[in-house]
Amino acid sequence: MNRFNKDFLDKLGDFNFDVLEKSKNSIYALSKDLKIIYFNPAWFKFADKNGFEKSAAHQTILGTSVLNSFGGIRLKLYFRNKYKKAIRTGKVWHHQYECSSKKKYRFFHQTAYPLPSKEGLLIVHTEMFKLPMDNMNRETFRAIEHRYFNAEGRILQCSNCRHTQRADNPEFWDWVPTWVKKLPANHKLTICPTCEHLYND
């Protein structure tokens, strides 16, 4: 699989391609219309370690919109606006987020570096810390359908922290490891009240 477009190197300016290639951080680049134009090797390692190889990694290819990789309309709009603003203004944008797996609590920092001449962005994801989930005192719940499936027959999960809303008591959002590992087909991604502040402007 190709990892960068033929004109990507011309867009880099002072960014060092060899440094990007050797980085342990997951890095990709976007064109000015937010299409993916580069992946570094660490991106594929991260995708493989996190089970994306059979699903998201095959859909996230060169030339596709990066917005396809965000779950839920709220996140798509948020990142589209932030990325477009960074390109337009030439200012670096920072964002911190949780990306936990079933077994590990993980917190990341994303930095969006504008490419020269408003040609796009270089996106760097840095893992800030990782802890075993049992160190987090995060109470876990079983995937019980009558508790979480709402009247429309869907579960609602937060795109950011991956907690699932209770249908029988909507103000509660639970950590359900089964659905962190694999969401059922009838799910909808949203933002929970705890994470709401992260996506307000």
Side-chain angles (χ1 to χ4, degrees):
M1 179 185 287
N2 292 333
R3 292 192 296 100
F4 56 92
N5 289 353
K6 60 181 180 181
D7 60 346
F8 168 66
L9 296 178
D10 296 330
K11 299 178 188 292
L12 271 179
D14 291 333
F15 290 103
N16 189 310
F17 181 70
D18 290 332
V19 171
L20 301 179
E21 288 286 282
K22 293 174 183 175
S23 176
K24 302 296 183 189
N25 296 322
S26 174
I27 301 173
Y28 54 88
L30 307 177
S31 64
K32 57 189 172 186
D33 56 354
L34 305 185
K35 291 183 178 176
I36 299 169
I37 57 175
Y38 168 71
F39 298 103
N40 77 335
W43 186 92
F44 285 96
K45 289 179 182 176
F46 181 84
D48 188 45
K49 277 178 63 177
N50 290 277
F52 297 153
E53 192 60 36
K54 294 180 181 177
S55 54
H58 286 296
Q59 297 171 26
T60 309
I61 58 175
L62 290 178
T64 62
S65 173
V66 72
L67 300 177
N68 294 343
S69 62
F70 296 112
I73 189 67
R74 178 80 180 274
L75 285 190
K76 290 180 193 297
L77 290 173
Y78 178 81
F79 282 98
R80 184 194 68 183
N81 292 340
K82 292 296 186 181
Y83 287 161
K84 288 285 191 180
K85 183 177 180 181
I87 293 171
R88 186 177 68 251
T89 63
K91 293 183 179 177
V92 176
W93 178 63
H94 300 276
H95 179 70
Q96 295 181 354
Y97 62 99
E98 179 181 349
C99 183
S100 295
S101 67
K102 180 180 177 181
K103 295 181 179 180
K104 293 190 183 297
Y105 177 87
R106 301 180 305 195
F107 203 74
F108 286 82
H109 185 96
Q110 176 185 156
T111 308
Y113 296 97
L115 293 173
S117 304
K118 300 183 179 181
E119 286 292 329
L121 295 171
L122 196 63
I123 311 291
V124 180
H125 296 268
T126 306
E127 185 177 82
M128 297 174 67
F129 59 86
K130 175 172 57 180
L131 295 168
M133 194 55 76
D134 56 10
N135 285 8
M136 295 305 299
N137 295 321
R138 183 173 277 184
E139 186 177 1
T140 63
F141 293 80
R142 290 184 295 119
I144 302 171
E145 291 193 12
H146 71 268
R147 167 169 270 182
Y148 298 106
F149 281 77
N150 62 22
E152 298 173 352
R154 292 185 173 188
I155 71 162
L156 296 182
Q157 187 179 88
C158 179
S159 299
N160 187 66
C161 70
R162 318 277 300 277
H163 280 66
T164 301
Q165 185 181 44
R166 291 187 196 176
D168 60 357
N169 208 342
E171 65 268 26
F172 288 95
W173 294 71
D174 299 331
W175 181 255
V176 185
T178 300
W179 290 330
V180 171
K181 184 175 182 182
K182 182 175 176 57
L183 276 167
N186 49 340
H187 71 274
K188 182 178 179 182
L189 296 173
T190 185
I191 302 294
C192 74
T194 303
C195 294
E196 183 79 23
H197 72 283
L198 296 172
Y199 300 97
N200 284 334
D201 295 325

